[in-house]
Amino acid sequence: MSTLHIPGSEFNWAHYVQVELHQLKVKESLETTLRDAQARITAAEATEENPPRFSFLSRPAPRPDTHEDEQIVRNVGHRLEEVQKSLEENHRELHSRLHAWLNVHDAHYRLAAEVKSRYDALATAIAPMQGLFEDMRRRYGEARNEIGIAYDKASGRLSAVGQASVDRLVASYANLMEGEEFLVAKVNSLNSLVNGTMFVRMRLAEFQRCIAPVCSPGMDYTVMRANFEAGAEQVNAAIDALELYVAKIKRVDYDRDEILREFREAEWRRRLFAMASSAER
């Protein structure tokens, strides 16, 4: 993905760049102070472990006092943490402000925002589907037991009791089909948005809907049973397909942050270099 070009005159980078450069200078100075103090402490410890030889006529060298340097190390460590927090906060604010600016000024970025919105709507539509399918799976299990014994062996047709169980199963498809219709609408909405755009790779495959099996009163039992088993397989396949959709939604890269990151990093480096160079002249 190519880096977006946004005229610098339309976004004020100066504050963020100045904060960055100032904090980097402070950090560099603190790190120098820290290295010097640590070097003195190390040298003092080495001297203590290997004291210089002396004769009875010479006085031993005084033991180096590292208390002050140890205090410097602690203080500088705290200051470095504060500087790092300041740098991170500057980056967060820059990200937030630039995020809002791109929403207004860049068409691709606005498209990415809409893609994210439609993915969120799709995730909302998917949420209840697992429960609906599981209910259907349970309903099939219950009905399978009932129709297996509730049919007239002489005529080969389902009894009234068995037919009532099948009718309940078919009726329960109403909720499932309503959920499927809502989900498919969201899939189509997303796909129509990304087709022919830089986000086309985020297009989702068509979602295959489940339909209720044909189980009409008076139907031959073997035919009804075959339709019934086909319906159960369809529900199981739909659950597998739904899991793939859920995985896709969870791992999808909305590209929005990627666009922002690529633009920000390239432009950020350019701005830092330009302002740092002018300050050195």
Side-chain angles (χ1 to χ4, degrees):
M1 186 184 300
S2 59
T3 300
L4 297 175
H5 173 69
I6 302 176
S9 60
E10 297 184 31
F11 186 84
N12 181 18
W13 294 84
H15 169 73
Y16 306 104
V17 174
Q18 288 169 350
V19 169
E20 179 86 358
L21 291 175
H22 173 70
Q23 294 297 338
L24 288 176
K25 287 181 178 179
V26 172
K27 183 178 180 181
E28 182 180 2
S29 176
L30 289 171
E31 288 175 342
T32 299
T33 302
L34 181 62
R35 284 194 300 271
D36 291 344
Q38 289 174 332
R40 289 192 295 271
I41 293 172
T42 300
E45 290 174 347
T47 301
E48 187 173 349
E49 291 177 2
N50 300 288
R53 295 182 178 180
F54 59 92
S55 66
F56 67 92
L57 296 177
S58 62
R59 293 183 178 180
R63 178 184 179 186
D65 184 3
T66 60
H67 176 74
E68 183 176 349
D69 285 322
E70 290 170 352
Q71 186 63 40
I72 289 174
V73 168
R74 286 192 293 271
N75 292 342
V76 170
H78 292 317
R79 282 288 293 122
L80 283 171
E81 290 177 2
E82 293 173 356
V83 169
Q84 186 60 36
K85 288 179 181 178
S86 178
L87 287 167
E88 291 171 359
E89 178 59 32
N90 189 49
H91 285 183
R92 280 194 295 271
E93 184 177 342
L94 169 64
H95 182 96
S96 176
R97 295 290 181 86
L98 190 54
H99 182 78
W101 190 91
L102 283 168
N103 263 329
V104 175
H105 292 84
D106 187 82
H108 288 307
Y109 198 77
R110 285 196 301 276
L111 176 61
E114 182 60 25
V115 170
K116 181 185 183 303
S117 174
R118 296 196 187 187
Y119 257 110
D120 289 344
L122 183 57
T124 300
I126 283 177
M129 293 301 295
Q130 186 74 31
L132 290 172
F133 281 129
E134 292 297 345
D135 286 344
M136 290 301 302
R137 179 182 276 172
R138 184 174 58 257
R139 178 73 73 180
Y140 266 112
E142 294 170 353
R144 178 183 285 109
N145 294 331
E146 292 181 19
I147 68 172
I149 58 175
Y151 75 99
D152 188 334
K153 294 182 180 180
S155 65
R157 300 188 183 280
L158 200 64
S159 68
V161 174
Q163 185 62 53
S165 176
V166 171
D167 289 343
R168 288 194 300 271
L169 171 66
V170 174
S172 66
Y173 265 92
N175 288 336
L176 175 62
M177 294 175 72
E178 182 179 349
E180 286 182 326
E181 184 177 351
F182 185 65
L183 172 60
V184 169
K186 297 305 179 184
V187 172
N188 291 338
S189 175
L190 171 68
N191 287 344
S192 64
L193 178 67
V194 300
N195 282 341
T197 72
M198 62 194 295
F199 307 111
V200 69
R201 66 184 176 82
M202 301 167 68
R203 194 181 191 280
L204 291 173
E206 181 180 351
F207 188 83
Q208 298 297 322
R209 304 186 195 192
C210 288
I211 58 174
V214 178
C215 301
S216 58
M219 179 180 288
D220 183 82
Y221 173 74
T222 57
V223 176
M224 178 179 286
R225 181 74 186 209
N227 293 345
F228 182 90
E229 294 298 339
E233 291 178 5
Q234 191 179 48
V235 167
N236 286 329
I239 291 175
D240 293 339
L242 185 69
E243 290 172 351
L244 293 176
Y245 264 73
V246 171
K248 174 69 175 177
I249 297 301
K250 286 182 178 178
R251 70 173 182 264
V252 69
D253 178 5
Y254 294 134
D255 287 315
R256 197 181 195 203
D257 286 338
E258 184 179 343
I259 292 173
L260 177 57
R261 184 174 58 255
E262 287 188 1
F263 166 70
R264 187 187 67 175
E265 288 181 355
E267 190 68 9
W268 182 240
R269 286 192 298 270
R270 190 177 75 81
R271 297 281 173 166
L272 279 174
F273 177 78
M275 190 167 288
S277 298
S278 64
E280 292 173 357
R281 292 173 186 171

